[in-house]
Amino acid sequence: MNMNKKGRKIIALALSGSMLMTTTVFARTPRFNRSNEEWAALEDNNLEYGEIEDLIAEYNATVRSNEVALAKFKRDYGRTNTEVSDKYRENAEEILNNLDDPDPSDPTYIAKLSSVATARATAQNLLSSADSTLEDANIIRLGYEQSEKTLAQSATTNMISYRSGQVAIDVAKGNLELANIALNMANAKLNAGTGTNIDVLSAKEKVINAQNALTKAISDNNTVLKKLQVMTGWSYNATPNVGDIPTPDMNRVFDPSADLQKALVNNYTLRINEKKLENASADSDKQSLKLTIEDNKKNIATALAVAAQNIASAKESYNYANSFANLQETNMAIANQRFSLGMISKLELDTQKVTTENAKRALEQSRYAINQAIANYDWALKGLASTS
C-alpha cells in the first residue's frame, strides 16, 4: 500500500492493552481477497462515493476496534450462548473461591470488608447474568456489523452533505453579491436624493449578514469534510480528492411492498432479536422477544414506506426547482434584451443574473436531496431500517 500517497492515520486500540495509541493502519482484508485494481482504487487519494462501504470496512477506526473486541469476546467467552453462560459462572466461582474473610484485628479491616462485599456483589451479578444472558458471538458480530453499516450510512450522508454544502457556499456567495448590489443601489439613490441614510444602513447590515452566512457555510462544510475523511481512513490534515455524487436514476421504481422481504431478512436489529429468541429459555423472555420481533417487522415496513414517500417528495421538489430555474433563464433572456434597449440598469441586470445562478444552484441541491432520499431507502434494504 502506498501509505505516503493515502496518508491514512487512525486511533486504534493497542493489542497489548487498553491504552490508546496513534498508529498507521493497513487494510484488514487479506490482499488476495481483492483484485489489484480494487486495492489501487482504495489506496489512492481519491474519495469516491462508490468506495465508501469498502473504505469504512478497511480503514475505519471503530470497525477495526470492534474486530479486535469480537476476537477477544470469542477467546474469553466462547461462541455459543451456553459457553458464554458457563464462563460467567466460572468467573463468579473464581471470585468466590478467592475470597477470605478479613481479620477483625487488621487495621484495614473495614476497607477489606468493603472490598469483600464488592467482590461478592460482582460474583452475584455474574451468576445472575449467567442465568439471564442471551448473548453469543453471533449476536456480538451482528451488532458490530450493524455498527459498520451505520458508519457507512453516516459517511454517505456526509459526502452528499459536503457536495450540497459546496453548492450552499456558492449560493451564499450569490446572496452576498445580491446584498452588495442592493447596497450600491441604495448609495446611488442617496446620491440622487431619492434615498435615505437609513436605506443605506439597512443595506450595509444585509451585506454583513450575507458575509457572516458565507463564512458559516464554509466553516460548516469544512467540518463535514473532516468528519468524512477521518471516517474513511484519511488523517484529519489530509487533503483527499472528493469525487462527485452520481446522478440519481429518476426512472427507478421504488416498491416498498415488493422490497419488504429483503429489508426484513437483512435487518440487523431483527436478526439480533431473532437470535436472542433462539437462545432464550425462560417463557417470559420468549414472550417478550416475540412481541418485540412483531413490532420490529411492523416498524420496518413503515420505515420502508416512509423512505419511498420521501423519494417521491424529493422528486417533486426537484421538478419545482427545475421549473423555477427554467423561469429564471427566461427572465435572464428578457433582462438581457431590456438592458440592450436601455430599459433596465446594469444593477438590475446583475441582480437577475445572480438570481438565475442561485436558481440553478437550488436545482443542483434538490438533486442531491434525491440522492440522499434514495440512499436512505437503500440502507433500509441493507438492514438499517428503523425498528422503533
Side-chain angles (χ1 to χ4, degrees):
M1 182 189 304
N2 187 346
M3 292 302 296
N4 289 330
K5 184 176 182 181
K6 196 80 173 185
R8 285 200 171 93
K9 291 270 189 183
I10 70 170
I11 302 298
L13 284 173
L15 297 179
S16 59
S18 61
M19 183 174 64
L20 290 174
M21 67 177 184
T22 302
T23 179
T24 300
V25 172
F26 292 86
R28 66 175 184 173
T29 300
R31 299 293 298 186
F32 56 78
N33 279 6
R34 296 184 187 273
S35 67
N36 290 335
E37 290 76 14
E38 288 174 321
W39 280 120
L42 292 180
E43 293 168 358
D44 63 22
N45 198 41
N46 301 320
L47 205 174
E48 302 292 347
Y49 186 79
E51 296 176 353
I52 286 179
E53 279 194 76
D54 290 334
L55 290 170
I56 292 290
E58 297 294 351
Y59 303 109
N60 182 267
T62 299
V63 172
R64 300 302 299 273
S65 177
N66 287 346
E67 186 179 44
V68 173
L70 177 59
K72 186 177 187 302
F73 181 90
K74 290 177 180 178
R75 288 196 308 271
D76 293 346
Y77 295 97
R79 295 175 180 273
T80 68
N81 177 251
T82 299
E83 289 175 324
V84 173
S85 183
D86 289 344
K87 188 63 179 179
Y88 282 142
R89 290 192 178 88
E90 179 185 325
N91 290 344
E93 291 172 1
E94 183 178 352
I95 291 173
L96 293 173
N97 290 337
N98 289 320
L99 286 181
D100 292 319
D101 291 330
D103 183 353
S105 63
D106 190 323
T108 60
Y109 173 72
I110 298 300
K112 288 184 177 180
L113 192 64
S114 176
S115 178
V116 168
T118 299
R120 289 188 189 279
T122 299
Q124 188 56 50
N125 287 336
L126 286 170
L127 289 173
S128 178
S129 295
D131 294 332
S132 62
T133 185
L134 302 175
E135 282 185 327
D136 60 28
N138 193 38
I139 288 175
I140 301 297
R141 176 185 60 78
L142 286 172
Y144 287 153
E145 285 184 11
Q146 183 178 26
S147 173
E148 179 179 326
K149 295 303 180 184
T150 301
L151 286 166
Q153 179 186 33
S154 179
T156 298
T157 297
N158 283 339
M159 186 163 180
I160 295 172
S161 296
Y162 171 69
R163 277 301 178 194
S164 182
Q166 287 186 308
V167 181
I169 290 171
D170 289 337
V171 170
K173 289 178 179 178
N175 289 337
L176 177 58
E177 188 175 350
L178 283 175
N180 279 313
I181 289 173
L183 176 59
N184 291 336
M185 292 180 68
N187 281 320
K189 287 182 178 180
L190 179 65
N191 293 333
T194 58
T196 67
N197 284 320
I198 293 177
D199 293 333
V200 173
L201 289 174
S202 177
K204 285 182 178 179
E205 183 180 4
K206 290 179 180 178
V207 169
I208 293 172
N209 290 339
Q211 181 60 63
N212 290 338
L214 173 58
T215 300
K216 186 177 185 301
I218 294 172
S219 176
D220 289 349
N221 210 40
N222 186 60
T223 298
V224 172
L225 174 60
K226 294 305 179 181
K227 288 181 181 178
L228 171 64
Q229 68 188 52
V230 171
M231 289 179 73
T232 49
W234 276 265
S235 66
Y236 183 84
N237 294 322
T239 54
N241 305 313
V242 181
D244 203 353
I245 310 299
T247 301
D249 182 0
M250 302 295 280
N251 296 319
R252 179 179 167 185
V253 177
F254 297 90
D255 187 343
S257 297
D259 290 336
L260 178 58
Q261 188 57 34
K262 181 178 181 181
L264 292 172
V265 169
N266 289 337
N267 190 268
Y268 285 100
T269 299
L270 182 59
R271 290 163 68 188
I272 288 171
N273 285 332
E274 287 174 339
K275 191 68 178 70
K276 286 181 178 179
L277 180 58
E278 291 179 19
N279 293 339
S281 56
D283 289 339
S284 59
D285 285 339
K286 290 180 180 180
Q287 185 61 28
S288 177
L289 282 165
K290 286 178 181 178
L291 292 174
T292 297
I293 288 170
E294 287 306 309
D295 190 53
N296 289 163
K297 291 179 179 179
K298 291 176 183 177
N299 287 327
I300 291 169
T302 299
L304 203 60
V306 169
Q309 182 56 50
N310 288 341
I311 294 171
S313 297
K315 287 183 177 180
E316 288 180 9
S317 296
Y318 176 87
N319 290 334
Y320 172 80
N322 190 40
S323 296
F324 185 74
N326 289 335
L327 174 62
Q328 295 307 317
E329 285 279 12
T330 300
N331 290 342
M332 187 71 240
I334 294 172
N336 279 323
Q337 287 182 332
R338 298 184 69 191
F339 178 72
S340 66
L341 296 173
M343 298 174 66
I344 62 173
S345 68
K346 180 66 165 57
L347 288 175
E348 290 172 306
L349 179 67
D350 289 342
T351 298
Q352 181 57 51
K353 179 180 178 181
V354 175
T355 300
T356 302
E357 289 301 314
N358 272 356
K360 293 178 182 178
R361 291 160 184 156
L363 176 62
E364 189 174 2
Q365 285 184 307
S366 67
R367 192 260 288 184
Y368 287 132
I370 295 176
N371 281 112
Q372 184 62 68
I374 292 176
N376 290 342
Y377 188 91
D378 287 339
W379 283 115
L381 293 182
K382 292 178 181 180
L384 298 183
S386 175
T387 56
S388 60

